[in-house]
Amino acid sequence: MAKVESFTLDHTKVLAPYVRSIGTEKGPQGDIISNFDLRLIQPNMCAIPTAGIHTIEHLLASLLRDRLSGVIDCSPFGCRTGFHLIMWGKPTAHDVAVALKASLEEIVSSIEWTDVQGTTAVSCGNYVDHSLFSAKEVSKHVLEKGISDDPFSRHVV
């Protein structure tokens, strides 16, 4: 079996919330794809409620694209402590952390239910499992702690 970098990370040593560059891949045409760990909650301490992480996922899908060029995908971790962000090119963890912070600030300050895309049976595979309230509470918690661009020391952006 191939080794997966994320499963070699010592989750007891990281200090969430943070953005971490997991690594880059080079495609056959020379294209670079970067993978980031957007860790919102300290691993093994608690998890984001399913409806909350689902709503954050739907919001980050557009909010991060508004702030960063080259976003391919932003998907939640199964452990519900954060997200993978896949991007074209080689942005820095700092740039991603700044965009994540601004996105979470927007969720807290101005996002309303009508702003959340993909909340119908036609546009989502589990449309009844959303919570804007939870998304806002998690976002507030992350912003209160501050988002670091280093997973092992608190370098808050």
Side-chain angles (χ1 to χ4, degrees):
M1 245 192 219
K3 287 277 186 193
V4 177
E5 189 280 344
S6 296
F7 300 142
T8 67
L9 175 70
D10 185 341
H11 288 70
T12 66
K13 303 260 191 255
V14 296
L15 304 169
Y18 64 80
V19 170
R20 177 179 76 92
S21 173
I22 294 172
T24 59
E25 300 272 340
K26 187 179 236 182
Q29 303 298 316
D31 295 327
I32 303 292
I33 295 177
S34 296
N35 186 2
F36 290 91
D37 170 349
L38 311 183
R39 190 72 59 160
L40 304 184
I41 303 295
Q42 186 64 35
N44 300 305
M45 295 296 181
C46 65
I48 302 169
T50 310
I53 201 166
H54 191 193
T55 303
I56 293 170
E57 173 197 8
H58 282 228
L59 289 167
L60 289 182
S62 61
L63 294 172
L64 287 175
R65 282 178 171 87
D66 291 345
R67 292 167 171 83
L68 296 166
S69 61
V71 171
I72 297 170
D73 186 49
C74 185
S75 301
F77 295 141
C79 61
R80 296 181 292 130
T81 60
F83 297 83
H84 275 289
L85 176 65
I86 311 297
M87 298 183 65
W88 293 108
K90 290 180 76 174
T92 66
H94 179 81
D95 291 340
V96 173
V98 168
L100 176 61
K101 178 181 178 184
S103 297
L104 296 179
E105 287 172 341
E106 187 170 344
I107 290 170
V108 169
S109 68
S110 63
I111 293 293
E112 297 179 9
W113 179 247
T114 55
D115 299 317
V116 184
Q117 297 179 55
T119 58
T120 68
V122 170
S123 59
C124 180
N126 191 8
Y127 78 101
V128 297
D129 192 23
H130 277 283
S131 173
L132 182 57
F133 175 80
S134 178
K136 285 180 176 281
E137 289 301 304
V138 169
S139 298
K140 282 181 204 171
H141 171 76
V142 171
L143 291 168
E144 286 168 3
K145 293 193 74 134
I147 300 168
S148 177
D149 59 10
D150 184 307
F152 301 105
S153 66
R154 299 297 295 151
H155 183 251
V156 175
V157 297

